[in-house]
C-alpha cells in the first residue's frame, strides 16, 4: 500500500443532477488505487440541492469533504479555495460533469510517479460537437495570448490537471485577485505532460458558459497575462502623431505656396472623428488595466466559506 495522499478538487455550481454520477464514477476509479484519497467538493453558491447532496455523500463516505461558499464566487475562486485547503502529495482539479474522465486518473498518476513530470494536464484532441465560430475564436485566442504573453497556454487545454505538491505551492504563491488559471499554470512553468483525450459531452445539467461569457473570459486572460494591448495603443498613438505632424507641415507649406482655398472641411471632420475614436479606444484599454488594478488594490478575499465538514479550513482568503 502506497501511503501518498491525493485530493480531487471538484468545483460545483448548481450541479445536483451531475454530482451523484460523478461521485460514483470517480469513487470506482479511486477505490482501486493505492492512495489515501479525498474528494473535495467546493459548492460555489449553488441555488439548487447541490449542497444537500454533498452533505449526504459526506455522511456516507469519509473520503468526501466539502467547502461551501457564502455566494457564487466563480470557478476560479472555487479552484483556489480547493488548492488552499488541499494538503496532499498530489492534487487534481476536475469538473463534476464528467467532461474530465476519471478513467484518466490512473494513467496520470503513473506519469507523476515516474518522476519525470511535475504535472499532468488534459487536452482535448478534437473539438467535435462545437460550433465552428466558437472554434475559430478559440484558435485566435490561443494564437494571440501565446504570441503576446509570458504564459505558455496549450490550445484546447482544460482545467483538468494533476499536480505534485511543489506545483500547488507555486500556484498558491500567485495570490492575484483576477485569477486566470490556464495562464497561472503556464506562467509558473514546471514539467507538464500533456495527455490528449477525446472530447466528452456533459453527463447531466447545462454548461454555465455562453459565447459572450467565453469572449469575456478570453479578454480577461489576455489582459491578465499581457501588456501587449497597452503597447499596441501606444504604438497607434505614436503613429497617428507622426502622420498628423507630417500632414500639418504639408498643409502649412501648401498654404504658403498656393494660398488658402476653403475646401476639404468634410475630410477634416472625418479626421477629427477618427482621432476621437482612437482616443476613446485607448482610454478604454487603459481603463481595463486600471479596473484590474482597482480590484487588486482593494485586496478583497477571493472566497468566503460559510459551511464545511473539513478540519482546519482556511475559510476566508
Ligand atoms: N462552475 C463553478 N462555478 C461557476 C461556474 C461553473 O464552480 O460559477 C463549475 C461547474 O459546476 C463545473 C465546472 O465549473 O464543475 C465547469 O463548468 P461548465 O461545465 O459549465 O464549463 P464547461 O465544461 O462548459 O467549460
Ligand atoms: Mg463542463
Amino acid at each position: 500500500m502506497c501511503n501518498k495522499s491525493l485530493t480531487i478538487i471538484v468545483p460545483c455550481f448548481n450541479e445536483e443532477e451531475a454530482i451523484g454520477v460523478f461521485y460514483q464514477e470517480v469513487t470506482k476509479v479511486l477505490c482501486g488505487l493505492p492512495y489515501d484519497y479525498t474528494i473535495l467538493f467546493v459548492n460555489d453558491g449553488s441555488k439548487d440541492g447541490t449542497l444537500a447532496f454533498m452533505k449526504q455523500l459526506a455522511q456516507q463516505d469519509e473520503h468526501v469533504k466539502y467547502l461551501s461558499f457564502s455566494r457564487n464566487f466563480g470557478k476560479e475562486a472555487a479552484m483556489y479555495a480547493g488548492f488552499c485547503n488541499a494538503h496532499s502529495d498530489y492534487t487534481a482539479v476536475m469538473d463534476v460533469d464528467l467532461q474530465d474522465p476519471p478513467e484518466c486518473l490512473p494513467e496520470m498518476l503513473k506519469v507523476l510517479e515516474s518522476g519525470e513530470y511535475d504535472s499532468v494536464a488534459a487536452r482535448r484532441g478534437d473539438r467535435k460537437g462545437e460550433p465552428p465560430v466558437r472554434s475559430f475564436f478559440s484558435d485566435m485566442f490561443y494564437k494571440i495570448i501565446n504570441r503576446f504573453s509570458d504564459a505558455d497556454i496549450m490550445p484546447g487545454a482544460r482545467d483538468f490537471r494533476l499536480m505534485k505538491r511543489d506545483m500547488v505551492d507555486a500556484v498558491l504563491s500567485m495570490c492575484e485577485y483576477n485569477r486566470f488559471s490556464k495562464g497561472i499554470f503556464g506562467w509558473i512553468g514546471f514539467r507538464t505532460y500533456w495527455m490528449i483525450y477525446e472530447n466528452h459531452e456533459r453527463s447531466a445539467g447545462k454548461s454555465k458558459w455562453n459565447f459572450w461569457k467565453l469572449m469575456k473570459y478570453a479578454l480577461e486572460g489576455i489582459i491578465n497575462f499581457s501588456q501587449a494591448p497597452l503597447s499596441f495603443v501606444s504604438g497607434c498613438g505614436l503613429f497617428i502623431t507622426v502622420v498628423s505632424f507630417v500632414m500639418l507641415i504639408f498643409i502649412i507649406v501648401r498654404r504658403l505656396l498656393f494660398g488658402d482655398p476653403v475646401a476639404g472641411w468634410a475630410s477634416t471632420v472625418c479626421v477629427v472623428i477618427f482621432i476621437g475614436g482612437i482616443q476613446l479606444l485607448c482610454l478604454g484599454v487603459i481603463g481595463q488595466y486600471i479596473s484590474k488594478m482597482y480590484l487588486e488594490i482593494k485586496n478583497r478575499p477571493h472566497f468566503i466559506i460559510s459551511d464545511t465538514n473539513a478540519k482546519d479550513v482556511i475559510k476566508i482568503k
Side-chain angles (χ1 to χ4, degrees), residues 11-13 15 44 72 74-75 78 94-97 99 134 158 202 206-209:
C12 304
F13 175 50
E15 299 281 8
D44 184 13
N72 177 252
K75 185 184 175 188
M94 289 178 88
D95 286 0
V96 75
D97 55 14
Q99 284 193 296
R134 195 150 152 178
R158 292 188 57 87
R202 213 172 206 287
K206 272 199 298 219
S207 170
K208 315 289 176 297
W209 296 90

Side-chain angles (χ1 to χ4, degrees), residues 42 67-71 73 77-78 80-85 172 175 177 298-308 310-317:
V42 185
L67 309 171
S68 181
F69 285 177
S70 59
R71 66 165 170 88
F73 281 88
Y80 188 55
F83 288 133
C84 288
N85 291 297
L172 286 173
C175 44
Y177 188 79
K298 282 212 261 192
N299 211 6
R300 285 183 175 168
H302 297 79
F303 59 83
I304 300 171
I305 293 175
S306 57
D307 190 0
T308 177
K311 281 195 205 104
D312 303 326
V313 164
I314 299 174
K315 287 198 169 168
I316 300 179
K317 188 162 180 190

Side-chain angles (χ1 to χ4, degrees), residues 194-268:
W194 287 97
M195 210 168 88
I196 298 182
Y197 74 102
E198 217 179 288
N199 201 10
H200 285 54
E201 295 280 319
R202 213 172 206 287
S203 62
K206 272 199 298 219
S207 170
K208 315 289 176 297
W209 296 90
N210 59 33
F211 183 77
W212 292 112
K213 271 196 176 169
L214 281 173
M215 201 72 164
K216 201 169 148 240
Y217 180 68
L219 282 177
E220 297 256 310
I222 292 171
I223 287 176
N224 284 338
F225 277 90
S226 165
Q227 283 86 44
L230 284 178
S231 315
F232 177 74
V233 294
S234 315
C236 282
L238 185 69
F239 176 74
I240 290 170
T241 311
V242 171
V243 170
S244 51
F245 183 72
V246 171
M247 278 164 66
L248 199 70
I249 302 281
F250 172 75
I251 288 165
I252 292 171
V253 171
R254 197 177 60 172
R255 161 80 177 81
L256 293 175
L257 295 181
F258 305 107
D260 186 19
V262 182
W265 65 270
S267 50
T268 310

Side-chain angles (χ1 to χ4, degrees), residues 178-198:
N178 298 286
R179 294 187 80 75
F180 180 68
S181 286
K182 286 190 172 75
I184 291 176
F185 293 140
W187 193 92
I188 56 177
F190 288 94
R191 298 163 304 171
T192 299
Y193 178 83
W194 287 97
M195 210 168 88
I196 298 182
Y197 74 102
E198 217 179 288

